[in-house]
Amino acid sequence: MAEIEISEKKSVSKIIIIVLLSLILLLTATILFFVVFDKQADNIFSIFKSESGEFTAPLEEFVVNLKPEGNVRHYIKVSLALMFTNEDDSKIIETNMSKIRDTIISTLRAKTYNDIVNDNQTLNLKTELIESINKSLNESIVEGVYITDVIIQ
């Protein structure tokens, strides 16, 4: 009788192990599918579509040294998002991301702390970023720049 209980426990534990291994295999296959075929990256811009027909492309964080003022050095840590209205422009933005980042870094490095610190100057910076990004892309794609996070020191 004890032998039957032991064999039943072994078979139940084998079934549990098989089910767990199957779930792990399924989960791994799903993750691998999204990584290999990059399904999420193709739809990243459509996720951020608003009802007004605007699209945003979030950019990775920037940490840039600002132009020194005398002996005082400052830096800015900023996260930005680009706003555009034509859904087809998302491919252009995606393929030119390095050029866009370079343009933003160059623009920020040319600024001093006093050029950025107040609200009016922040609006001027946004306008300058829009103009310089569009100039680097050779077409007017970006219609707005959103500052999603900023630290200036």
Side-chain angles (χ1 to χ4, degrees):
M1 191 94 152
E3 291 178 17
I4 295 174
E5 288 179 23
I6 292 173
S7 66
E8 285 179 13
K9 286 182 181 180
K10 285 183 179 180
S11 65
V12 169
S13 64
K14 285 182 181 180
I15 292 173
I16 292 173
I17 291 172
I18 291 171
V19 169
L20 288 175
L21 287 175
S22 298
L23 289 174
I24 291 171
L25 183 63
L26 180 65
L27 180 64
T28 304
T30 305
I31 291 171
L32 187 62
F33 174 78
F34 282 109
V35 169
V36 170
F37 292 108
D38 203 16
K39 294 294 183 186
Q40 186 177 7
D42 291 340
N43 298 324
I44 192 164
F45 294 108
S46 63
I47 293 171
F48 297 102
K49 181 181 179 182
S50 70
E51 292 180 15
S52 64
E54 295 178 352
F55 298 86
T56 57
L59 303 177
E60 291 182 21
E61 182 176 84
F62 295 87
V63 179
V64 178
N65 290 318
L66 297 174
K67 185 176 176 182
E69 294 178 300
N71 291 335
V72 181
R73 294 184 172 262
H74 296 280
Y75 74 91
I76 185 169
K77 178 180 170 184
V78 63
S79 296
L80 302 172
L82 306 178
M83 189 274 291
F84 54 100
T85 55
N86 186 351
E87 188 174 8
D88 297 333
D89 291 339
S90 64
K91 293 290 186 191
I92 296 170
I93 291 173
E94 188 177 353
T95 57
N96 289 294
M97 193 58 72
S98 295
K99 187 186 293 188
I100 292 169
R101 287 187 59 81
D102 180 63
T103 301
I104 292 170
I105 290 170
S106 298
T107 303
L108 290 174
R109 287 183 55 116
K111 299 295 179 188
T112 64
Y113 174 81
N114 290 324
D115 292 338
I116 298 175
V117 75
N118 73 32
D119 291 337
N120 289 337
Q121 292 164 334
T122 302
L123 292 174
N124 293 337
L125 174 64
K126 287 181 177 185
T127 303
E128 187 176 343
L129 286 172
I130 293 167
E131 291 171 357
S132 61
I133 292 168
N134 285 333
K135 183 178 178 182
S136 73
L137 296 174
N138 295 321
E139 49 187 313
S140 292
I141 294 174
V142 177
E143 297 180 25
V145 172
Y146 300 122
I147 298 175
T148 57
D149 189 24
V150 65
I151 297 174
I152 304 171
Q153 183 173 344

